[in-house]
PDB file of all heavy atoms in Angstrom:
ATOM      1  N   MET A   1      -9.574   8.337  11.304  1.00 71.00           N
ATOM      2  CA  MET A   1      -9.044   7.068  10.859  1.00 71.00           C
ATOM      3  C   MET A   1     -10.162   6.302  10.145  1.00 71.00           C
ATOM      4  O   MET A   1     -11.284   6.264  10.612  1.00 71.00           O
ATOM      5  CB  MET A   1      -8.531   6.290  12.062  1.00 71.00           C
ATOM      6  CG  MET A   1      -8.036   4.899  11.757  1.00 71.00           C
ATOM      7  SD  MET A   1      -6.657   4.761  10.637  1.00 71.00           S
ATOM      8  CE  MET A   1      -5.438   5.719  11.452  1.00 71.00           C
ATOM      9  N   VAL A   2      -9.803   5.699   9.030  1.00 81.00           N
ATOM     10  CA  VAL A   2     -10.759   4.885   8.287  1.00 81.00           C
ATOM     11  C   VAL A   2     -10.726   3.460   8.830  1.00 81.00           C
ATOM     12  O   VAL A   2      -9.753   3.045   9.459  1.00 81.00           O
ATOM     13  CB  VAL A   2     -10.445   4.895   6.764  1.00 81.00           C
ATOM     14  CG1 VAL A   2     -10.576   6.293   6.193  1.00 81.00           C
ATOM     15  CG2 VAL A   2      -9.076   4.331   6.479  1.00 81.00           C
ATOM     16  N   THR A   3     -11.786   2.709   8.591  1.00 93.00           N
ATOM     17  CA  THR A   3     -11.814   1.313   9.027  1.00 93.00           C
ATOM     18  C   THR A   3     -11.329   0.372   7.935  1.00 93.00           C
ATOM     19  O   THR A   3     -10.887  -0.731   8.223  1.00 93.00           O
ATOM     20  CB  THR A   3     -13.231   0.902   9.471  1.00 93.00           C
ATOM     21  OG1 THR A   3     -14.134   1.130   8.396  1.00 93.00           O
ATOM     22  CG2 THR A   3     -13.663   1.694  10.689  1.00 93.00           C
ATOM     23  N   ASP A   4     -11.440   0.802   6.680  1.00 95.00           N
ATOM     24  CA  ASP A   4     -10.958   0.020   5.546  1.00 95.00           C
ATOM     25  C   ASP A   4     -10.128   0.923   4.644  1.00 95.00           C
ATOM     26  O   ASP A   4     -10.540   2.042   4.324  1.00 95.00           O
ATOM     27  CB  ASP A   4     -12.116  -0.559   4.736  1.00 95.00           C
ATOM     28  CG  ASP A   4     -12.903  -1.601   5.512  1.00 95.00           C
ATOM     29  OD1 ASP A   4     -12.270  -2.511   6.068  1.00 95.00           O
ATOM     30  OD2 ASP A   4     -14.137  -1.498   5.564  1.00 95.00           O
ATOM     31  N   ALA A   5      -8.990   0.414   4.214  1.00 97.00           N
ATOM     32  CA  ALA A   5      -8.138   1.170   3.294  1.00 97.00           C
ATOM     33  C   ALA A   5      -8.696   1.039   1.885  1.00 97.00           C
ATOM     34  O   ALA A   5      -9.209  -0.018   1.513  1.00 97.00           O
ATOM     35  CB  ALA A   5      -6.713   0.630   3.358  1.00 97.00           C
ATOM     36  N   PRO A   6      -8.617   2.086   1.066  1.00 97.00           N
ATOM     37  CA  PRO A   6      -9.118   2.016  -0.302  1.00 97.00           C
ATOM     38  C   PRO A   6      -8.272   1.061  -1.147  1.00 97.00           C
ATOM     39  O   PRO A   6      -7.045   1.178  -1.191  1.00 97.00           O
ATOM     40  CB  PRO A   6      -8.995   3.447  -0.827  1.00 97.00           C
ATOM     41  CG  PRO A   6      -8.498   4.288   0.296  1.00 97.00           C
ATOM     42  CD  PRO A   6      -8.108   3.406   1.418  1.00 97.00           C
ATOM     43  N   ALA A   7      -8.910   0.119  -1.806  1.00 97.00           N
ATOM     44  CA  ALA A   7      -8.210  -0.883  -2.618  1.00 97.00           C
ATOM     45  C   ALA A   7      -7.388  -0.246  -3.723  1.00 97.00           C
ATOM     46  O   ALA A   7      -6.328  -0.746  -4.093  1.00 97.00           O
ATOM     47  CB  ALA A   7      -9.209  -1.876  -3.210  1.00 97.00           C
ATOM     48  N   ASP A   8      -7.870   0.872  -4.261  1.00 97.00           N
ATOM     49  CA  ASP A   8      -7.178   1.508  -5.383  1.00 97.00           C
ATOM     50  C   ASP A   8      -6.137   2.540  -4.946  1.00 97.00           C
ATOM     51  O   ASP A   8      -5.521   3.194  -5.786  1.00 97.00           O
ATOM     52  CB  ASP A   8      -8.181   2.143  -6.338  1.00 97.00           C
ATOM     53  CG  ASP A   8      -9.018   3.236  -5.669  1.00 97.00           C
ATOM     54  OD1 ASP A   8      -9.019   3.328  -4.428  1.00 97.00           O
ATOM     55  OD2 ASP A   8      -9.673   3.992  -6.408  1.00 97.00           O
ATOM     56  N   LEU A   9      -5.895   2.672  -3.649  1.00 98.00           N
ATOM     57  CA  LEU A   9      -4.887   3.602  -3.148  1.00 98.00           C
ATOM     58  C   LEU A   9      -3.513   3.131  -3.609  1.00 98.00           C
ATOM     59  O   LEU A   9      -3.124   1.996  -3.371  1.00 98.00           O
ATOM     60  CB  LEU A   9      -4.928   3.667  -1.621  1.00 98.00           C
ATOM     61  CG  LEU A   9      -3.923   4.597  -0.952  1.00 98.00           C
ATOM     62  CD1 LEU A   9      -4.196   6.055  -1.331  1.00 98.00           C
ATOM     63  CD2 LEU A   9      -3.952   4.420   0.545  1.00 98.00           C
ATOM     64  N   GLU A  10      -2.790   3.996  -4.309  1.00 97.00           N
ATOM     65  CA  GLU A  10      -1.475   3.629  -4.818  1.00 97.00           C
ATOM     66  C   GLU A  10      -0.372   4.030  -3.848  1.00 97.00           C
ATOM     67  O   GLU A  10      -0.379   5.136  -3.303  1.00 97.00           O
ATOM     68  CB  GLU A  10      -1.209   4.290  -6.170  1.00 97.00           C
ATOM     69  CG  GLU A  10      -1.963   3.662  -7.306  1.00 97.00           C
ATOM     70  CD  GLU A  10      -1.499   4.156  -8.660  1.00 97.00           C
ATOM     71  OE1 GLU A  10      -0.860   5.219  -8.738  1.00 97.00           O
ATOM     72  OE2 GLU A  10      -1.790   3.476  -9.645  1.00 97.00           O
ATOM     73  N   LEU A  11       0.545   3.110  -3.657  1.00 98.00           N
ATOM     74  CA  LEU A  11       1.747   3.379  -2.876  1.00 98.00           C
ATOM     75  C   LEU A  11       2.928   3.269  -3.835  1.00 98.00           C
ATOM     76  O   LEU A  11       3.028   2.316  -4.605  1.00 98.00           O
ATOM     77  CB  LEU A  11       1.901   2.390  -1.727  1.00 98.00           C
ATOM     78  CG  LEU A  11       0.838   2.459  -0.641  1.00 98.00           C
ATOM     79  CD1 LEU A  11       1.087   1.394   0.413  1.00 98.00           C
ATOM     80  CD2 LEU A  11       0.806   3.830   0.002  1.00 98.00           C
ATOM     81  N   ARG A  12       3.791   4.260  -3.787  1.00 98.00           N
ATOM     82  CA  ARG A  12       4.940   4.307  -4.697  1.00 98.00           C
ATOM     83  C   ARG A  12       6.208   3.902  -3.953  1.00 98.00           C
ATOM     84  O   ARG A  12       6.692   4.629  -3.090  1.00 98.00           O
ATOM     85  CB  ARG A  12       5.101   5.702  -5.270  1.00 98.00           C
ATOM     86  CG  ARG A  12       6.316   5.837  -6.146  1.00 98.00           C
ATOM     87  CD  ARG A  12       6.506   7.238  -6.694  1.00 98.00           C
ATOM     88  NE  ARG A  12       7.193   7.108  -7.939  1.00 98.00           N
ATOM     89  CZ  ARG A  12       6.600   7.074  -9.129  1.00 98.00           C
ATOM     90  NH1 ARG A  12       5.310   7.218  -9.226  1.00 98.00           N
ATOM     91  NH2 ARG A  12       7.310   6.919 -10.215  1.00 98.00           N
ATOM     92  N   PRO A  13       6.758   2.726  -4.311  1.00 97.00           N
ATOM     93  CA  PRO A  13       8.014   2.321  -3.673  1.00 97.00           C
ATOM     94  C   PRO A  13       9.166   3.219  -4.112  1.00 97.00           C
ATOM     95  O   PRO A  13       9.146   3.769  -5.214  1.00 97.00           O
ATOM     96  CB  PRO A  13       8.235   0.886  -4.144  1.00 97.00           C
ATOM     97  CG  PRO A  13       7.203   0.586  -5.138  1.00 97.00           C
ATOM     98  CD  PRO A  13       6.262   1.743  -5.241  1.00 97.00           C
ATOM     99  N   LEU A  14      10.133   3.346  -3.266  1.00 94.00           N
ATOM    100  CA  LEU A  14      11.300   4.167  -3.543  1.00 94.00           C
ATOM    101  C   LEU A  14      11.995   3.717  -4.827  1.00 94.00           C
ATOM    102  O   LEU A  14      12.468   4.529  -5.595  1.00 94.00           O
ATOM    103  CB  LEU A  14      12.262   4.087  -2.354  1.00 94.00           C
ATOM    104  CG  LEU A  14      13.463   4.995  -2.325  1.00 94.00           C
ATOM    105  CD1 LEU A  14      13.052   6.453  -2.435  1.00 94.00           C
ATOM    106  CD2 LEU A  14      14.242   4.762  -1.044  1.00 94.00           C
ATOM    107  N   ASN A  15      12.030   2.435  -5.054  1.00 86.00           N
ATOM    108  CA  ASN A  15      12.701   1.883  -6.237  1.00 86.00           C
ATOM    109  C   ASN A  15      11.716   1.101  -7.089  1.00 86.00           C
ATOM    110  O   ASN A  15      11.788  -0.111  -7.173  1.00 86.00           O
ATOM    111  CB  ASN A  15      13.854   0.966  -5.822  1.00 86.00           C
ATOM    112  CG  ASN A  15      14.909   1.692  -5.036  1.00 86.00           C
ATOM    113  OD1 ASN A  15      15.330   2.764  -5.428  1.00 86.00           O
ATOM    114  ND2 ASN A  15      15.329   1.127  -3.919  1.00 86.00           N
ATOM    115  N   GLY A  16      10.765   1.775  -7.704  1.00 91.00           N
ATOM    116  CA  GLY A  16       9.844   1.027  -8.544  1.00 91.00           C
ATOM    117  C   GLY A  16       8.597   1.786  -8.906  1.00 91.00           C
ATOM    118  O   GLY A  16       8.439   2.969  -8.592  1.00 91.00           O
ATOM    119  N   GLU A  17       7.717   1.059  -9.567  1.00 96.00           N
ATOM    120  CA  GLU A  17       6.451   1.610 -10.023  1.00 96.00           C
ATOM    121  C   GLU A  17       5.400   1.522  -8.919  1.00 96.00           C
ATOM    122  O   GLU A  17       5.448   0.621  -8.080  1.00 96.00           O
ATOM    123  CB  GLU A  17       5.967   0.833 -11.253  1.00 96.00           C
ATOM    124  CG  GLU A  17       6.887   0.960 -12.457  1.00 96.00           C
ATOM    125  CD  GLU A  17       7.023   2.399 -12.931  1.00 96.00           C
ATOM    126  OE1 GLU A  17       5.988   3.082 -13.050  1.00 96.00           O
ATOM    127  OE2 GLU A  17       8.160   2.839 -13.165  1.00 96.00           O
ATOM    128  N   PRO A  18       4.424   2.430  -8.939  1.00 97.00           N
ATOM    129  CA  PRO A  18       3.367   2.383  -7.924  1.00 97.00           C
ATOM    130  C   PRO A  18       2.528   1.103  -8.032  1.00 97.00           C
ATOM    131  O   PRO A  18       2.372   0.543  -9.119  1.00 97.00           O
ATOM    132  CB  PRO A  18       2.504   3.605  -8.245  1.00 97.00           C
ATOM    133  CG  PRO A  18       3.276   4.427  -9.195  1.00 97.00           C
ATOM    134  CD  PRO A  18       4.271   3.543  -9.851  1.00 97.00           C
ATOM    135  N   HIS A  19       2.021   0.677  -6.897  1.00 97.00           N
ATOM    136  CA  HIS A  19       1.111  -0.471  -6.825  1.00 97.00           C
ATOM    137  C   HIS A  19      -0.060  -0.097  -5.928  1.00 97.00           C
ATOM    138  O   HIS A  19       0.104   0.629  -4.956  1.00 97.00           O
ATOM    139  CB  HIS A  19       1.816  -1.694  -6.242  1.00 97.00           C
ATOM    140  CG  HIS A  19       2.909  -2.230  -7.101  1.00 97.00           C
ATOM    141  ND1 HIS A  19       2.674  -2.993  -8.216  1.00 97.00           N
ATOM    142  CD2 HIS A  19       4.242  -2.084  -7.010  1.00 97.00           C
ATOM    143  CE1 HIS A  19       3.813  -3.308  -8.782  1.00 97.00           C
ATOM    144  NE2 HIS A  19       4.792  -2.759  -8.070  1.00 97.00           N
ATOM    145  N   THR A  20      -1.216  -0.635  -6.248  1.00 98.00           N
ATOM    146  CA  THR A  20      -2.379  -0.394  -5.404  1.00 98.00           C
ATOM    147  C   THR A  20      -2.282  -1.260  -4.150  1.00 98.00           C
ATOM    148  O   THR A  20      -1.561  -2.268  -4.134  1.00 98.00           O
ATOM    149  CB  THR A  20      -3.691  -0.728  -6.133  1.00 98.00           C
ATOM    150  OG1 THR A  20      -3.723  -2.134  -6.406  1.00 98.00           O
ATOM    151  CG2 THR A  20      -3.838   0.074  -7.425  1.00 98.00           C
ATOM    152  N   LEU A  21      -3.010  -0.868  -3.141  1.00 97.00           N
ATOM    153  CA  LEU A  21      -3.044  -1.692  -1.928  1.00 97.00           C
ATOM    154  C   LEU A  21      -3.542  -3.090  -2.250  1.00 97.00           C
ATOM    155  O   LEU A  21      -3.033  -4.064  -1.705  1.00 97.00           O
ATOM    156  CB  LEU A  21      -3.928  -1.044  -0.865  1.00 97.00           C
ATOM    157  CG  LEU A  21      -3.268   0.037  -0.028  1.00 97.00           C
ATOM    158  CD1 LEU A  21      -4.262   0.632   0.958  1.00 97.00           C
ATOM    159  CD2 LEU A  21      -2.062  -0.489   0.711  1.00 97.00           C
ATOM    160  N   ARG A  22      -4.523  -3.185  -3.133  1.00 96.00           N
ATOM    161  CA  ARG A  22      -5.039  -4.512  -3.519  1.00 96.00           C
ATOM    162  C   ARG A  22      -3.892  -5.379  -4.045  1.00 96.00           C
ATOM    163  O   ARG A  22      -3.778  -6.547  -3.688  1.00 96.00           O
ATOM    164  CB  ARG A  22      -6.145  -4.367  -4.570  1.00 96.00           C
ATOM    165  CG  ARG A  22      -6.615  -5.659  -5.191  1.00 96.00           C
ATOM    166  CD  ARG A  22      -7.235  -6.665  -4.250  1.00 96.00           C
ATOM    167  NE  ARG A  22      -8.457  -6.159  -3.670  1.00 96.00           N
ATOM    168  CZ  ARG A  22      -8.870  -6.475  -2.438  1.00 96.00           C
ATOM    169  NH1 ARG A  22      -8.192  -7.303  -1.693  1.00 96.00           N
ATOM    170  NH2 ARG A  22      -9.978  -5.995  -1.963  1.00 96.00           N
ATOM    171  N   GLU A  23      -3.011  -4.810  -4.858  1.00 97.00           N
ATOM    172  CA  GLU A  23      -1.877  -5.574  -5.394  1.00 97.00           C
ATOM    173  C   GLU A  23      -0.873  -5.917  -4.300  1.00 97.00           C
ATOM    174  O   GLU A  23      -0.326  -7.021  -4.274  1.00 97.00           O
ATOM    175  CB  GLU A  23      -1.168  -4.766  -6.493  1.00 97.00           C
ATOM    176  CG  GLU A  23      -1.997  -4.568  -7.740  1.00 97.00           C
ATOM    177  CD  GLU A  23      -1.390  -3.564  -8.700  1.00 97.00           C
ATOM    178  OE1 GLU A  23      -0.731  -2.603  -8.248  1.00 97.00           O
ATOM    179  OE2 GLU A  23      -1.599  -3.742  -9.912  1.00 97.00           O
ATOM    180  N   LEU A  24      -0.621  -4.996  -3.406  1.00 96.00           N
ATOM    181  CA  LEU A  24       0.372  -5.211  -2.355  1.00 96.00           C
ATOM    182  C   LEU A  24      -0.092  -6.197  -1.286  1.00 96.00           C
ATOM    183  O   LEU A  24       0.729  -6.796  -0.596  1.00 96.00           O
ATOM    184  CB  LEU A  24       0.727  -3.880  -1.686  1.00 96.00           C
ATOM    185  CG  LEU A  24       1.528  -2.906  -2.541  1.00 96.00           C
ATOM    186  CD1 LEU A  24       1.549  -1.525  -1.894  1.00 96.00           C
ATOM    187  CD2 LEU A  24       2.946  -3.424  -2.746  1.00 96.00           C
ATOM    188  N   LEU A  25      -1.393  -6.352  -1.154  1.00 96.00           N
ATOM    189  CA  LEU A  25      -1.932  -7.173  -0.069  1.00 96.00           C
ATOM    190  C   LEU A  25      -2.409  -8.549  -0.538  1.00 96.00           C
ATOM    191  O   LEU A  25      -3.162  -9.203   0.167  1.00 96.00           O
ATOM    192  CB  LEU A  25      -3.075  -6.425   0.621  1.00 96.00           C
ATOM    193  CG  LEU A  25      -2.654  -5.154   1.357  1.00 96.00           C
ATOM    194  CD1 LEU A  25      -3.866  -4.357   1.808  1.00 96.00           C
ATOM    195  CD2 LEU A  25      -1.761  -5.485   2.531  1.00 96.00           C
ATOM    196  N   THR A  26      -1.956  -9.013  -1.691  1.00 94.00           N
ATOM    197  CA  THR A  26      -2.415 -10.322  -2.172  1.00 94.00           C
ATOM    198  C   THR A  26      -1.896 -11.468  -1.312  1.00 94.00           C
ATOM    199  O   THR A  26      -2.560 -12.487  -1.184  1.00 94.00           O
ATOM    200  CB  THR A  26      -1.994 -10.564  -3.641  1.00 94.00           C
ATOM    201  OG1 THR A  26      -0.575 -10.435  -3.730  1.00 94.00           O
ATOM    202  CG2 THR A  26      -2.676  -9.599  -4.580  1.00 94.00           C
ATOM    203  N   THR A  27      -0.729 -11.325  -0.715  1.00 94.00           N
ATOM    204  CA  THR A  27      -0.125 -12.414   0.040  1.00 94.00           C
ATOM    205  C   THR A  27       0.033 -12.119   1.524  1.00 94.00           C
ATOM    206  O   THR A  27      -0.158 -12.996   2.352  1.00 94.00           O
ATOM    207  CB  THR A  27       1.266 -12.754  -0.538  1.00 94.00           C
ATOM    208  OG1 THR A  27       1.132 -12.954  -1.944  1.00 94.00           O
ATOM    209  CG2 THR A  27       1.822 -14.012   0.080  1.00 94.00           C
ATOM    210  N   PHE A  28       0.392 -10.888   1.852  1.00 96.00           N
ATOM    211  CA  PHE A  28       0.724 -10.552   3.234  1.00 96.00           C
ATOM    212  C   PHE A  28      -0.011  -9.304   3.706  1.00 96.00           C
ATOM    213  O   PHE A  28      -0.404  -8.468   2.903  1.00 96.00           O
ATOM    214  CB  PHE A  28       2.235 -10.274   3.362  1.00 96.00           C
ATOM    215  CG  PHE A  28       3.104 -11.436   3.019  1.00 96.00           C
ATOM    216  CD1 PHE A  28       3.840 -11.439   1.854  1.00 96.00           C
ATOM    217  CD2 PHE A  28       3.196 -12.523   3.870  1.00 96.00           C
ATOM    218  CE1 PHE A  28       4.656 -12.519   1.532  1.00 96.00           C
ATOM    219  CE2 PHE A  28       4.003 -13.604   3.557  1.00 96.00           C
ATOM    220  CZ  PHE A  28       4.736 -13.597   2.381  1.00 96.00           C
ATOM    221  N   HIS A  29      -0.137  -9.187   5.016  1.00 97.00           N
ATOM    222  CA  HIS A  29      -0.581  -7.936   5.629  1.00 97.00           C
ATOM    223  C   HIS A  29       0.504  -6.895   5.379  1.00 97.00           C
ATOM    224  O   HIS A  29       1.647  -7.243   5.084  1.00 97.00           O
ATOM    225  CB  HIS A  29      -0.728  -8.094   7.140  1.00 97.00           C
ATOM    226  CG  HIS A  29      -1.810  -9.036   7.562  1.00 97.00           C
ATOM    227  ND1 HIS A  29      -2.540  -8.846   8.708  1.00 97.00           N
ATOM    228  CD2 HIS A  29      -2.286 -10.175   7.017  1.00 97.00           C
ATOM    229  CE1 HIS A  29      -3.406  -9.824   8.847  1.00 97.00           C
ATOM    230  NE2 HIS A  29      -3.258 -10.646   7.834  1.00 97.00           N
ATOM    231  N   LEU A  30       0.152  -5.625   5.532  1.00 98.00           N
ATOM    232  CA  LEU A  30       1.117  -4.539   5.414  1.00 98.00           C
ATOM    233  C   LEU A  30       1.170  -3.785   6.740  1.00 98.00           C
ATOM    234  O   LEU A  30       0.122  -3.425   7.292  1.00 98.00           O
ATOM    235  CB  LEU A  30       0.723  -3.576   4.294  1.00 98.00           C
ATOM    236  CG  LEU A  30       1.588  -2.314   4.156  1.00 98.00           C
ATOM    237  CD1 LEU A  30       3.021  -2.667   3.764  1.00 98.00           C
ATOM    238  CD2 LEU A  30       0.968  -1.359   3.138  1.00 98.00           C
ATOM    239  N   VAL A  31       2.379  -3.571   7.229  1.00 98.00           N
ATOM    240  CA  VAL A  31       2.598  -2.769   8.426  1.00 98.00           C
ATOM    241  C   VAL A  31       3.542  -1.653   8.017  1.00 98.00           C
ATOM    242  O   VAL A  31       4.651  -1.913   7.563  1.00 98.00           O
ATOM    243  CB  VAL A  31       3.225  -3.594   9.561  1.00 98.00           C
ATOM    244  CG1 VAL A  31       3.428  -2.736  10.795  1.00 98.00           C
ATOM    245  CG2 VAL A  31       2.379  -4.805   9.862  1.00 98.00           C
ATOM    246  N   THR A  32       3.086  -0.417   8.141  1.00 98.00           N
ATOM    247  CA  THR A  32       3.928   0.695   7.743  1.00 98.00           C
ATOM    248  C   THR A  32       3.989   1.762   8.823  1.00 98.00           C
ATOM    249  O   THR A  32       2.977   2.081   9.462  1.00 98.00           O
ATOM    250  CB  THR A  32       3.469   1.301   6.391  1.00 98.00           C
ATOM    251  OG1 THR A  32       4.415   2.279   5.965  1.00 98.00           O
ATOM    252  CG2 THR A  32       2.081   1.894   6.462  1.00 98.00           C
ATOM    253  N   ALA A  33       5.178   2.262   9.018  1.00 98.00           N
ATOM    254  CA  ALA A  33       5.384   3.427   9.870  1.00 98.00           C
ATOM    255  C   ALA A  33       5.377   4.634   8.943  1.00 98.00           C
ATOM    256  O   ALA A  33       6.134   4.677   7.967  1.00 98.00           O
ATOM    257  CB  ALA A  33       6.700   3.330  10.610  1.00 98.00           C
ATOM    258  N   VAL A  34       4.510   5.578   9.205  1.00 98.00           N
ATOM    259  CA  VAL A  34       4.367   6.766   8.356  1.00 98.00           C
ATOM    260  C   VAL A  34       5.024   7.938   9.064  1.00 98.00           C
ATOM    261  O   VAL A  34       4.641   8.284  10.179  1.00 98.00           O
ATOM    262  CB  VAL A  34       2.876   7.060   8.067  1.00 98.00           C
ATOM    263  CG1 VAL A  34       2.751   8.210   7.075  1.00 98.00           C
ATOM    264  CG2 VAL A  34       2.155   5.814   7.545  1.00 98.00           C
ATOM    265  N   LEU A  35       6.018   8.521   8.387  1.00 98.00           N
ATOM    266  CA  LEU A  35       6.800   9.596   9.000  1.00 98.00           C
ATOM    267  C   LEU A  35       6.825  10.823   8.108  1.00 98.00           C
ATOM    268  O   LEU A  35       6.806  10.715   6.879  1.00 98.00           O
ATOM    269  CB  LEU A  35       8.248   9.136   9.226  1.00 98.00           C
ATOM    270  CG  LEU A  35       8.464   7.897  10.082  1.00 98.00           C
ATOM    271  CD1 LEU A  35       9.938   7.510  10.077  1.00 98.00           C
ATOM    272  CD2 LEU A  35       7.988   8.130  11.499  1.00 98.00           C
ATOM    273  N   ASP A  36       6.910  11.970   8.744  1.00 98.00           N
ATOM    274  CA  ASP A  36       7.129  13.231   8.052  1.00 98.00           C
ATOM    275  C   ASP A  36       8.602  13.578   8.221  1.00 98.00           C
ATOM    276  O   ASP A  36       9.031  13.974   9.306  1.00 98.00           O
ATOM    277  CB  ASP A  36       6.251  14.327   8.660  1.00 98.00           C
ATOM    278  CG  ASP A  36       6.429  15.674   7.996  1.00 98.00           C
ATOM    279  OD1 ASP A  36       7.393  15.849   7.215  1.00 98.00           O
ATOM    280  OD2 ASP A  36       5.611  16.565   8.258  1.00 98.00           O
TER     281      ASP A  36
END
C-alpha cells in the first residue's frame, strides 16, 4: 500500500473522459470500493 496516491493517476468514469486524481480531489475526498 502506498501512503500517497499519484496526482497524475487517471481514473476513467463509466460515462465520461478520464480525470487525474488531482482533478477529482479539488473539492472532496474520494472513497472507492475496488472490486474484481
Side-chain angles (χ1 to χ4, degrees):
M1 176 61 58
V2 297
T3 57
D4 293 310
D8 61 346
L9 180 65
E10 285 191 341
L11 295 178
R12 176 182 208 96
L14 188 56
N15 299 313
E17 296 299 314
H19 294 282
T20 65
L21 277 178
R22 172 62 64 212
E23 293 169 328
L24 290 167
L25 294 170
T26 57
T27 308
F28 298 108
H29 294 213
L30 174 65
V31 181
T32 187
V34 186
L35 302 174
D36 180 348

